[in-house]
Amino acid sequence: MAQLLSLGLRRLRQPKVIAEVLGGILLGPTAFGRIPGFTENIFPSVSLPYLSLVANIGLCLFLFLVGLEIDISVIKRNARMSAIVSLAGIALPFGLGSLLSIPLYHHFIDPSIHFTYFMLFTGVAYSITAFPVLCRILTELKLLDTHVGIIVLSAGVGNDIIGWTLLALSVALVNAGSGLSALWILLVCIGFTVFLLIPVRLAMLWLARMTRSTENGPTMFYMTVVMILVWACAFFTDSIGVNAIFGAFLAGLVVPREGSLAITLTEKLEDMVTIVFLPLYFTLSGLNTNLGLLNNGITWAFTIAIIALSFSGKFGGCTLASRAAGYSWRESTTIGALMSCKGLVELIVLNVGLQAGILSQRVFSMFILEALVLTFITTPLVTALYPPEHRVRAGEPVPRLDGNELGQSDKASLVMTEDQPWRHRFTIVLDKLDHIPGAMALTRLVVPQRSPPSDVLSSATTTIDTIDKLKLPTVSIEALQLIELSDRTSAMMKSSVADSLLHTDPTLGIFRTFGELHDLAVTTSLSVVPYDEFARSVSEHAQRHVSHLVLLPWVPPTAPTLVDASNRDQDALGSPKTPKGDTNPFDVLFSNVAVPKTDTPPTHSQFVRDVFAQSKTDVALFVDTSDRSGVRFGGFVHVFLPFFGGPDDRLALEFVVQLCLNPRTSATVVRMVVHESGDAGLGEGLERPPAAHVEDRRSDMAQATPHTESPSVVSTLAFQDTVYGQLTTQTRLQSETADNLLWARFTQPTPNDDLSLRHALARIRFSDACTSAPVHTTLCHARTLRETASGLVVVTGRSRRLATSSHHAEMKRMLETARTPGLEGMRKTIGDVGAAMVAAGSASAVVVMQAANAGPE
């Protein structure tokens, strides 16, 4: 029930706890319980004690996880501010709750219940903040690294600790029966807490280090000790008159945080608690909730008053305290809205009060509705009060996207000028350890060598005197590690300790070491977001750090893995192919032989397409074919670019020219001129290449396109292309003009050109080819170049939008002839030319370029 409800509520960006509470309510007398015989058959009265026992076991484990989630060091870092906001968020709501308890008591509570007890439970329910749900909302809204998120997180920790202390005091007073007994219980509880937090905590840290649990995760012995500690603490607090959940909560605080031990412990327990135990607790809570009891005007009036006063107390107290501490009104109201979140924690408080006989079922149902409403409005209210353009992140001067608050250095590096036309600010995306080889190869490819090796200094294009004159930029690389934010508590814990994960994450560590070995300025960042937000996170990160190019490694679905290249047949594309039926499906179960991997999850291909669609920055996709034969990124590399025209191909041409700044890189650029052929059968079988006319066009282009000194020609290197609308005759002519100008610019260098540009162009051979089957001609060129070049890298434009020509018919014939799995999906991801190159295995690597998506997709 909860899983089904969460599917719909997730689209509204609501936390899962709302679906769980609603699911329990629907199973109770509010909805399904009204069906004759439903409750008697599904939840018979004889089963309720057993269900209650299992649910309470799960609740103790959940409170243990809540204790693990709380990091007391967060309070220490923001002690003054967190104390002010936390105390204001407790005092005012507690006072309002105590005030409202007077009429509530007289209208709905049995006079045999002491008013003091009822007032305490009402005040605690008002003053509590749901810390687990608060962490989830902060993470999903990307507020953890903002000033608001930091203060709310630290204040929420303090609020949670004080709230559980007040709950323990309330339970002690109820169970004691006299003031002296309550004082004794309180003193014993304080002494037990001090005993746990000092000697026991130090002993647990020592044991974790001795068993190396802080390095390799908790051992079996350490897990056993932790579980014994949890149940021992729960038993002790329950035996002295305080609820068992308080002891479990204290046990979570005792576990050391060193080496991500708390996160690893959470990962081992959370699935069982979330899937098995907590649903039972929500079900029992729902069986005690009957919204049908809210059946008259006075009850609804009190319900509205409960909701209004609860929100006003939290929102007003935290807002005023934040404003007095120096925050703006926008930030202060956001803090107040976040601190008003209730969730599961208030549900636990209310159930404790119901079990103790302090709350009636009607009052319990009224407060349950209040908790649901306040939790539901938190996310939309925060989104409206604190939109992304007004957020201020801690610890770094963030450039505004509107350009009003950029620093001087960012202003200088944002626009590539004629004096410095090369892209030198890169964002490289790392979301899997498998992509590290591709990320390293792509980085080595795009970073020019500032000091060429001795074996190329004697060339005609590079001398010692001219090296110092080359205007090579200082490269800056932002490595962004993406971690999926799932429904698990451990994922939220990782997001709250993202700063420490930056230094311990293995993927970032490997890439950071790679940068140090190659003298690259690598800055690492980590983002914990839902998988659906990966592409948006990449786009926002690139904009925020003023990147010129997003580098994205990708392993295609048809990348051959664990297959000997020397024993493969050729398909109609000329690509290596494993014959159909050679793989025994039972080998997966019974054989030790590795079975070739031919597919990757389609969700990652969708992520790549989303990056292309949402990125406002140029994107370079490195397609890792897993074929490193003959290529050494850092050694001599030959680049091949088939130039068809359009914004993506123009970006690819500029990219190839920049690659050739490296003296070890040379290139061949062929401009494909497509003409219609009267031979209908040409290219159907593709057994042989069609007739292609190839010649050097530097002299011809000089006649076709007169040379001009227009600055717009030079700016094609430094600025983004013109934004074209729908592909009409006018926009096609504009695009063809831009193609011709850029082609003329690079095929006709002048002595006035920048020295680095002339040296790069000297390593490029330009030609063009006239053909009616351009994709097949491109494959033939690539195969010819790979036979002669030591390592071939193909660079091509994606051309999924504003393409100058369509290859649909030719690709359709190839799909009918070739039996390469996943080729149609690759076409959607990397375009026709890139897909054909990967499927044919014509290059050691393929780089697919897309210009900044400033126009319609």
Side-chain angles (χ1 to χ4, degrees):
M1 178 68 69
Q3 295 293 335
L4 292 176
L5 290 173
S6 65
L7 294 177
L9 290 172
R10 189 177 303 167
R11 296 184 177 274
L12 301 176
R13 307 186 74 176
Q14 293 297 325
K16 187 179 178 181
V17 65
I18 294 182
E20 293 169 333
V21 175
L22 284 176
I25 292 175
L26 291 176
L27 292 174
T30 301
F32 291 174
R34 296 178 180 271
I35 301 174
F38 179 84
T39 302
E40 291 78 7
N41 290 281
I42 303 300
F43 304 105
S45 57
V46 293
S47 68
L48 293 182
Y50 304 102
L51 290 177
S52 179
L53 174 63
V54 177
N56 284 319
I57 291 174
L59 187 61
C60 288
L61 290 174
F62 174 75
L63 265 295
F64 171 67
L65 296 180
V66 172
L68 285 176
E69 192 174 354
I70 291 178
D71 189 358
I72 301 179
S73 63
V74 175
I75 302 179
K76 296 179 180 178
R77 291 195 296 266
N78 307 276
R80 187 181 67 86
M81 283 301 305
S82 62
I84 293 173
V85 176
S86 182
L87 290 176
I90 290 177
L92 184 58
F94 192 92
L96 292 177
S98 301
L99 186 64
L100 183 62
S101 65
I102 299 174
L104 276 175
Y105 179 81
H106 291 298
H107 280 85
F108 302 106
I109 302 300
D110 193 325
S112 62
I113 303 298
H114 289 286
F115 170 73
T116 306
Y117 302 160
F118 178 73
M119 181 192 70
L120 280 174
F121 271 95
T122 305
V124 171
Y126 261 42
S127 59
I128 204 77
T129 294
F131 181 75
V133 181
L134 186 63
C135 286
R136 179 77 189 187
I137 293 174
L138 288 173
T139 305
E140 289 190 346
L141 297 183
K142 302 178 184 177
L143 294 175
L144 279 176
D145 56 347
T146 63
H147 290 299
V148 169
I150 292 173
I151 192 61
V152 167
L153 193 65
S154 55
V157 171
N159 191 290
D160 219 30
I161 294 175
I162 297 174
W164 290 116
T165 304
L166 290 174
L167 177 62
L169 177 61
S170 304
V171 175
L173 287 174
V174 172
N175 295 331
S178 66
L180 187 60
S181 299
L183 179 61
W184 179 84
I185 293 175
L186 180 62
L187 292 176
V188 172
C189 193
I190 292 175
F192 182 66
T193 302
V194 173
F195 171 72
L196 287 176
L197 294 179
I198 298 179
V200 175
R201 189 171 187 272
L202 293 176
M204 294 297 292
L205 179 59
W206 173 84
L207 182 62
R209 291 174 177 173
M210 288 296 296
T211 58
R212 303 187 67 181
S213 297
T214 56
E215 301 175 9
N216 305 318
T219 61
M220 185 70 71
F221 177 73
Y222 191 81
M223 281 291 299
T224 304
V225 173
V226 169
M227 288 294 99
I228 292 174
L229 178 66
V230 172
W231 301 123
C233 292
F235 173 78
F236 181 82
T237 54
D238 186 62
S239 63
I240 65 175
V242 182
N243 199 290
I245 61 176
F246 187 70
F249 175 74
L250 290 176
L253 296 178
V254 167
V255 175
R257 269 59 179 170
E258 184 176 311
S260 301
L261 178 60
I263 296 177
T264 311
L265 274 171
T266 303
E267 291 174 340
K268 291 182 176 296
L269 295 174
E270 59 186 346
D271 286 349
M272 182 64 67
V273 173
T274 304
I275 297 173
V276 177
F277 290 114
L278 273 187
L280 290 177
Y281 183 79
F282 285 115
T283 300
L284 288 177
S285 177
L287 293 176
N288 294 320
T289 304
N290 187 3
L291 297 183
L293 295 176
L294 311 181
N295 54 5
N296 55 59
I298 190 66
T299 303
W300 275 107
F302 272 105
T303 303
I304 295 173
I306 289 173
I307 296 173
L309 284 179
S310 180
F311 178 77
S312 301
K314 274 289 185 182
F315 183 82
C318 295
T319 298
L320 294 176
S322 304
R323 181 59 181 167
Y327 285 91
S328 66
W329 278 113
R330 182 180 294 276
E331 293 173 330
S332 300
T333 53
T334 305
I335 292 173
L338 286 166
M339 293 295 290
S340 65
C341 180
K342 297 296 183 180
L344 177 59
V345 175
E346 183 175 357
L347 192 68
I348 295 172
V349 174
L350 296 174
N351 275 280
V352 171
L354 183 65
Q355 293 172 5
I358 306 300
L359 303 179
S360 66
Q361 191 177 22
R362 187 188 299 266
V363 174
F364 177 80
S365 301
M366 294 160 66
F367 274 95
I368 289 291
L369 185 60
E370 171 256 345
L372 276 175
V373 171
L374 293 190
T375 306
F376 187 86
I377 67 173
T378 300
T379 298
L381 188 59
V382 171
T383 304
L385 291 173
Y386 204 47
E389 60 268 19
H390 292 285
R391 296 173 186 175
V392 179
R393 303 187 181 273
E396 61 177 11
V398 179
R400 295 288 187 182
L401 299 184
D402 55 9
N404 293 331
E405 299 183 15
L406 287 172
Q408 294 299 323
S409 60
D410 288 326
K411 286 182 180 179
S413 60
L414 177 61
V415 179
M416 294 177 291
T417 63
E418 184 176 353
D419 293 333
Q420 187 54 269
W422 311 114
R423 292 172 174 81
H424 57 276
R425 296 172 64 95
F426 303 103
T427 291
I428 188 159
V429 181
L430 307 172
D431 62 328
K432 292 184 179 180
L433 194 60
D434 298 343
H435 294 162
I436 283 291
M440 292 180 177
L442 181 57
T443 304
R444 288 287 288 158
L445 187 66
V446 301
V447 175
Q449 287 187 327
R450 303 188 66 85
S451 54
S454 57
D455 55 350
V456 297
L457 286 177
S458 59
S459 67
T461 62
T462 308
T463 65
I464 297 179
D465 295 333
T466 59
I467 290 173
D468 295 333
K469 299 179 182 179
L470 296 178
K471 297 179 181 179
L472 299 182
T474 301
V475 176
S476 172
I477 298 176
E478 276 281 340
L480 174 62
Q481 163 75 331
L482 297 173
I483 296 180
E484 181 181 1
L485 175 64
S486 62
D487 291 333
R488 292 182 168 87
T489 304
S490 57
M492 289 178 281
M493 294 173 67
K494 290 178 182 179
S495 65
S496 62
V497 294
D499 292 340
S500 61
L501 285 178
L502 279 175
H503 306 288
T504 59
D505 184 80
T507 303
L508 291 178
I510 293 172
F511 196 80
R512 192 184 299 111
T513 304
F514 164 77
E516 293 172 354
L517 292 175
H518 295 89
D519 195 25
L520 298 176
V522 176
T523 305
T524 55
S525 301
L526 189 142
S527 181
V528 184
V529 294
Y531 194 86
D532 295 340
E533 301 288 331
F534 270 19
R536 182 184 300 176
S537 182
V538 171
S539 176
E540 292 176 354
H541 184 89
Q543 285 185 280
R544 188 163 62 247
H545 292 83
V546 203
S547 296
H548 299 150
L549 189 65
V550 174
L551 308 179
L552 187 64
W554 182 54
V555 179
T558 56
T561 305
L562 301 178
V563 179
D564 187 0
S566 62
N567 296 326
R568 292 179 295 190
D569 297 329
Q570 300 277 328
D571 64 5
L573 283 173
S575 61
K577 183 184 82 168
T578 302
K580 204 171 182 180
D582 281 3
T583 301
N584 187 344
F586 292 99
D587 286 343
V588 178
L589 300 176
F590 305 112
S591 176
N592 294 326
V593 179
V595 179
K597 177 183 176 183
T598 59
D599 200 6
T600 56
T603 53
H604 195 266
S605 297
Q606 184 60 48
F607 158 65
V608 173
R609 290 197 287 268
D610 289 343
V611 172
F612 279 131
Q614 300 180 25
S615 179
K616 300 299 186 296
T617 309
D618 299 337
V619 180
L621 176 70
F622 182 86
V623 183
D624 190 355
T625 62
S626 302
D627 182 6
R628 298 285 189 267
S629 58
V631 63
R632 287 173 51 244
F633 296 97
F636 287 97
V637 175
H638 192 77
V639 179
F640 170 55
L641 167 64
F643 183 80
F644 293 89
D648 295 345
D649 278 34
R650 292 195 292 275
L651 173 64
L653 180 55
E654 295 174 0
F655 182 72
V656 169
V657 173
Q658 179 165 345
L659 294 183
C660 289
L661 289 174
N662 190 336
R664 288 180 174 270
T665 302
S666 58
T668 297
V669 180
V670 179
R671 186 172 189 178
M672 295 294 172
V673 180
V674 182
H675 67 82
E676 298 296 333
S677 173
D679 188 357
L682 187 61
E684 287 184 359
L686 298 179
E687 298 88 356
R688 58 180 178 83
H693 178 62
V694 183
E695 61 178 348
D696 193 335
R697 290 296 303 266
R698 292 198 182 198
S699 58
D700 292 347
M701 284 299 301
Q703 300 174 5
T705 307
H707 175 66
T708 65
E709 297 295 335
S710 170
S712 61
V713 179
V714 179
S715 67
T716 55
L717 254 182
F719 304 102
Q720 295 181 354
D721 291 323
T722 305
V723 178
Y724 301 108
Q726 297 296 327
L727 193 59
T728 62
T729 302
Q730 180 181 358
T731 56
R732 184 182 295 276
L733 290 175
Q734 290 175 337
S735 182
E736 291 177 354
T737 302
D739 294 342
N740 293 332
L741 291 175
L742 187 64
W743 184 264
R745 172 62 177 162
F746 291 145
T747 57
Q748 303 171 38
T750 66
N752 297 328
D753 287 334
D754 180 75
L755 183 61
S756 58
L757 175 61
R758 285 188 282 127
H759 277 265
L761 293 176
R763 303 184 186 96
I764 304 175
R765 180 180 182 271
F766 292 92
S767 61
D768 62 358
C770 298
T771 176
S772 60
V775 177
H776 187 61
T777 302
T778 299
L779 295 177
C780 293
H781 275 286
R783 284 198 291 268
T784 302
L785 289 172
R786 192 171 188 185
E787 293 174 358
T788 58
S790 57
L792 181 65
V793 176
V794 173
V795 177
T796 180
R798 183 169 181 251
S799 299
R800 292 286 296 174
R801 60 185 178 90
L802 303 178
T804 57
S805 58
S806 173
H807 309 298
H808 178 74
E810 188 177 1
M811 290 299 296
K812 183 179 180 181
R813 291 194 298 270
M814 288 185 176
L815 285 171
E816 293 173 352
T817 306
R819 295 182 179 180
T820 305
L823 184 58
E824 180 62 30
M826 271 198 299
R827 289 183 60 199
K828 297 179 181 179
T829 304
I830 61 178
D832 293 335
V833 180
M837 284 290 177
V838 174
S842 301
S844 301
V846 178
V847 180
V848 180
M849 308 293 297
Q850 177 175 286
N853 186 15
E857 177 70 9

